[in-house]
Amino acid sequence: ELKVEQNPLFLSMQEGKNYTIYCNYSTTSDRLYWYRQDPGKSLESLFVLLSNGAVKQEGRLMASLDTKARLSTLHITAAVHDLSATYFCAVDNTAYGNKLVFGAGTILRVKS
Amino acid sequence: DAEITQSPRHKITETGRQVTLACHQTWNHNNMFWYRQDLGHGLRLIHYSYGVQDTNKGEVSDGYSVSRSNTEDLPLTLESAASSQTSVYFCASGHANTGELFFGEGSRLTVL
């Protein structure tokens, strides 16, 4: 059974600082996704990582995937208040099945 | 623009009543999913469908059913609502090639 673990579950950081959110998963997969959720809102797709070594960047966020270590990271550079949200990673270990298993989410609060 | 819509967005019902949550997507995706989101549990898969007349149970399917009579719609029915089914429900549809899911705005259900 696929398990997805994120850490930390809560992160409070100062504006301008860097930090990394980690996503570990338990079974072989090369399809990993990052989503953002604002309070009371839907989930917004941030990154789609489909191969070992994949790296994607959008603004102050960068995601990477190491399938051998079963690990993805979401790195935040020079955080700003607007990045405050809950971030989820999700893993699909089915062939083109879209059947995502989600981590518990990381609540990020950026303090000005 | 393609989208995925859920209705109702908010519903209060009583224990034992039947409730149906609607989900309609215009992405023309074959794959559709229902998740529930609860504090401390992240998102958990209820039911999913890979095409017309196809339905499958997810991780937490007890007390729920779905039907798929066309590509666009996957309604979720709670046969006899229970207080444990108070939650926020998200419908999603999936891009088969990348596995990426696109989510609706969510339906908040309260069972009294």
Side-chain angles (χ1 to χ4, degrees):
Chain A
E1 181 187 352
L2 174 59
K3 300 279 188 194
V4 180
E5 290 188 358
Q6 286 181 238
N7 70 85
L9 297 182
F10 181 77
L11 176 55
S12 179
M13 55 192 299
Q14 294 285 345
E15 274 193 332
K17 298 293 187 183
N18 304 333
Y19 209 85
T20 300
I21 299 171
Y22 297 89
C23 176
N24 291 91
Y25 53 99
S26 62
T27 66
T28 302
S29 175
D30 57 2
R31 299 159 73 87
L32 190 137
Y33 310 83
W34 284 95
Y35 287 86
R36 168 183 171 143
Q37 186 180 36
D38 292 302
K41 303 293 187 182
S42 183
L43 283 82
E44 172 192 357
S45 179
L46 289 176
F47 299 109
V48 177
L49 304 170
L50 299 179
S51 61
N52 186 41
V55 177
K56 297 276 183 76
Q57 182 159 5
E58 179 74 32
R60 301 174 187 272
L61 300 177
M62 184 174 70
S64 65
L65 177 62
D66 181 343
T67 59
K68 291 182 172 58
R70 299 177 185 168
L71 170 69
S72 179
T73 60
L74 180 66
H75 187 72
I76 303 153
T77 301
V80 293
H81 181 71
D82 285 352
L83 289 179
S84 296
T86 300
Y87 294 85
F88 292 93
C89 66
V91 177
D92 178 11
N93 68 344
T94 62
Y96 301 102
N98 291 138
K99 201 173 150 197
L100 302 191
V101 175
F102 283 80
T106 296
I107 299 172
L108 173 65
R109 293 291 176 260
V110 181
K111 297 182 290 186
S112 50
Chain B
D1 284 345
E3 60 180 3
I4 180 165
T5 55
Q6 295 183 228
S7 63
R9 298 288 314 280
H10 300 272
K11 184 168 182 69
I12 300 173
T13 191
E14 294 176 344
T15 302
R17 297 229 185 223
Q18 183 182 79
V19 175
T20 296
L21 305 179
C23 176
H24 179 81
Q25 54 101 359
T26 58
W27 291 96
N28 200 33
H29 289 151
N30 283 327
N31 302 347
M32 294 185 72
F33 303 80
W34 275 102
Y35 286 86
R36 61 178 286 175
Q37 184 175 30
D38 305 285
L39 273 175
H41 291 280
L43 281 92
R44 293 179 292 174
L45 183 62
I46 305 171
H47 280 286
Y48 59 102
S49 168
Y50 288 148
V52 177
Q53 302 301 332
D54 176 75
T55 61
N56 305 278
K57 293 181 179 180
E59 178 189 1
V60 289
S61 60
D62 286 349
Y64 303 94
S65 64
V66 293
S67 60
R68 187 89 180 271
S69 59
N70 58 52
T71 300
E72 296 80 16
D73 298 290
L74 187 71
L76 177 71
T77 297
L78 289 69
E79 301 294 342
S80 177
S83 57
S84 60
Q85 294 175 309
T86 292
S87 186
V88 179
Y89 293 86
F90 285 99
C91 180
S93 68
H95 193 295
N97 288 343
T98 66
E100 186 178 12
L101 287 186
F102 299 89
F103 284 82
E105 292 298 312
S107 295
R108 181 176 295 274
L109 176 68
T110 302
V111 183
L112 301 176

